[in-house]
Amino acid sequence: MSDAQRVKGWCPGALRPMMSGDGLVVRVRPFGGRLRRAQADGIASLAAAHGNGFIDLSSRGNIQIRGVREDRHKPLIDGLRAMGLIDPTPEIESRRNVMVQPFWISGDDTELLAAELTEALVSAELPVLPGKFGFAVDTGAKPVLQDASADVRLEQDAGGGLILVAEGMQSGKPVSLKTAVAEAIALARWFAGAPGAPKRMAELVASGTRPEGHFVPRQTGAYRAKPGFSPMGAMVGPAFGQMRVETLSSLAKHGGLRMTPWRLVLVESARNLPEIAGVITDPDDPMLRITACTGAPRCAQALGDTRELGRHLSASLRAGVTLHISGCPKGCAHPRSAPLTITAQQDGYALIRDGKASDAPALTGLSPDELKDHI
């Protein structure tokens, strides 16, 4: 990995955007993981006026406005602030990393805990935490966010009790509705005071340093999100988690939007949706099993195209197999292992089996057509 491709160790925000090959990436973190219809439509209008017309859904349930020129950043922020989507300071924004499971019902524990945790992160005196450190409120009857990136989690155990979980552990600490948020903040403080300056909770736990009192077994079982209808509404998603501003505006006409870490959107109360260009509603669409970063030319660090390659390969992807396509060894779109990973290189594409974008490849120098024979 070249110096230009080193992982930056932080995520972009709205107040602290990140420069990419197509301009600034401005990440909006919806409060409670939800956008009201007017907010979603407003983001679409602002992205059209100040960006390049493309919007990304992130793996942490955030929404990213792409292609913002530096001289358009301030008016964009002014517009987002008017809709109640901006934190008071970049420091508060950077620590308000809260994922919320999207299947909550108004007034339930998940909604209340998410709001209380958000308020605590905004107002509490907290030590500086690493840029990627995050929280997950996953307190439905069955956890659904265990495969999503977080460091401190609130979940239910098998008996329906609340537990606080440090990422990397298979057990949690029993807490109550009254104590859960205070305990989550205390766990973050404990992490910040740990020796060795770890970047993530799982790293600290793996080193043998573990918090006390975490003895209640967690529920386990992978949750696989897919498009479809439920009592909560319609789950839909754009290919590779990217959409045009017109698509976001169209979705907003049908209900409030709950963001997810699966690059899918839950359209509240939607019982049916018309065909919307760029929106996947078929749960068997092979494009849903392909994760791809922005790639070249929109990312200056990418060594090759990713998303057109994904479209080219989708029909050849074996049933049930998931594929990660990365424009460079950083693997930003999927930093963990995947059954199949394709990494762009100077002389073609490398194929990695059961590994990450930076792992040793099984094959190198492959063309897009040659890749079809190996996936």
Side-chain angles (χ1 to χ4, degrees):
M1 190 182 301
S2 69
D3 289 342
Q5 293 167 340
R6 297 293 176 193
V7 178
K8 291 183 172 63
W10 58 279
C11 295
L15 298 175
R16 189 189 180 198
M18 183 180 288
M19 181 59 71
S20 187
D22 56 349
L24 293 174
V25 177
V26 177
R27 177 176 289 186
V28 180
R29 304 179 184 192
F31 287 81
R34 179 180 185 268
L35 292 172
R36 299 192 303 272
R37 293 171 67 174
Q39 289 176 321
D41 192 53
I43 289 174
S45 297
L46 289 170
H50 306 297
N52 63 8
F54 285 97
I55 288 173
D56 286 342
L57 306 179
S58 84
S59 62
R60 291 195 171 193
N62 298 314
I63 193 162
Q64 298 184 158
I65 301 170
R66 298 200 66 92
V68 178
R69 297 201 319 267
E70 293 190 64
D71 63 335
R72 304 306 301 167
H73 181 240
K74 184 181 183 304
L76 171 60
I77 294 301
D78 290 343
L80 292 170
R81 182 173 283 113
M83 293 189 291
L85 291 169
I86 296 296
D87 291 283
T89 68
E91 292 73 26
I92 290 174
E93 177 186 66
S94 69
R95 70 181 184 229
R96 190 176 58 80
N97 288 328
V98 182
M99 277 190 300
V100 183
Q101 69 92 355
F103 307 116
W104 50 268
I105 299 170
S106 182
D108 71 4
D109 291 353
T110 296
E111 185 184 32
L112 296 175
L113 286 169
E116 186 181 345
L117 178 58
T118 297
E119 183 178 350
L121 290 171
V122 169
S123 60
E125 290 296 326
L126 280 173
V128 176
L129 294 167
K132 293 181 180 291
F133 193 94
F135 300 78
V137 181
D138 193 13
T139 53
K142 292 284 187 181
V144 298
L145 301 179
Q146 289 184 340
D147 287 339
S149 177
D151 298 271
V152 175
R153 300 175 182 273
L154 290 170
E155 298 177 353
Q156 280 194 31
D157 64 21
L162 279 176
I163 56 173
L164 173 69
V165 177
E167 179 70 350
M169 296 187 64
Q170 297 307 309
S171 57
K173 181 179 182 179
V175 294
S176 68
L177 274 175
K178 290 184 178 180
T179 65
V181 169
E183 292 278 11
I185 296 296
L187 183 56
R189 287 197 178 100
W190 171 85
F191 169 87
K199 293 290 192 297
R200 302 300 302 269
M201 182 71 77
E203 174 190 343
L204 180 61
V205 168
S207 74
T209 301
R210 301 187 173 194
E212 297 180 354
H214 290 237
F215 59 85
V216 178
R218 299 174 69 184
Q219 296 190 72
T220 58
Y223 176 78
R224 296 289 176 260
K226 60 184 180 180
F229 291 92
S230 74
M232 302 306 303
M235 186 82 84
V236 300
F240 313 120
Q242 186 173 83
M243 67 178 84
R244 296 282 309 179
V245 292
E246 297 87 355
T247 303
L248 179 62
S249 183
S250 295
L251 289 174
K253 289 179 172 60
H254 298 278
L257 305 183
R258 298 187 187 182
M259 316 309 291
T260 79
W262 313 302
R263 295 186 172 92
L264 300 172
V265 176
L266 178 64
V267 186
E268 293 177 343
S269 302
R271 295 292 176 263
N272 54 70
L273 285 176
E275 286 193 12
I276 300 174
V279 172
I280 297 174
T281 58
D282 178 3
D284 296 320
D285 192 319
M287 296 285 281
L288 294 170
R289 291 184 282 115
I290 301 176
T291 301
C293 65
T294 298
R298 292 193 178 95
C299 176
Q301 300 186 39
L303 299 174
D305 168 78
T306 55
R307 291 177 175 173
E308 283 306 313
L309 177 62
R311 293 183 176 90
H312 180 71
L313 297 176
S314 61
S316 302
L317 188 62
R318 296 192 307 276
V321 175
T322 57
L323 169 65
H324 171 211
I325 305 176
S326 182
C328 77
K330 286 170 56 179
C332 297
H334 187 82
R336 297 175 295 281
S337 294
L340 290 175
T341 297
I342 294 170
T343 302
Q345 298 180 325
Q346 294 285 2
D347 58 350
Y349 293 91
L351 179 68
I352 298 112
R353 300 188 186 279
D354 296 315
K356 299 180 291 187
S358 59
D359 287 345
L363 297 166
T364 60
L366 298 174
S367 70
D369 285 333
E370 288 172 331
L371 285 166
K372 287 183 176 182
D373 297 330
H374 299 283
I375 64 169

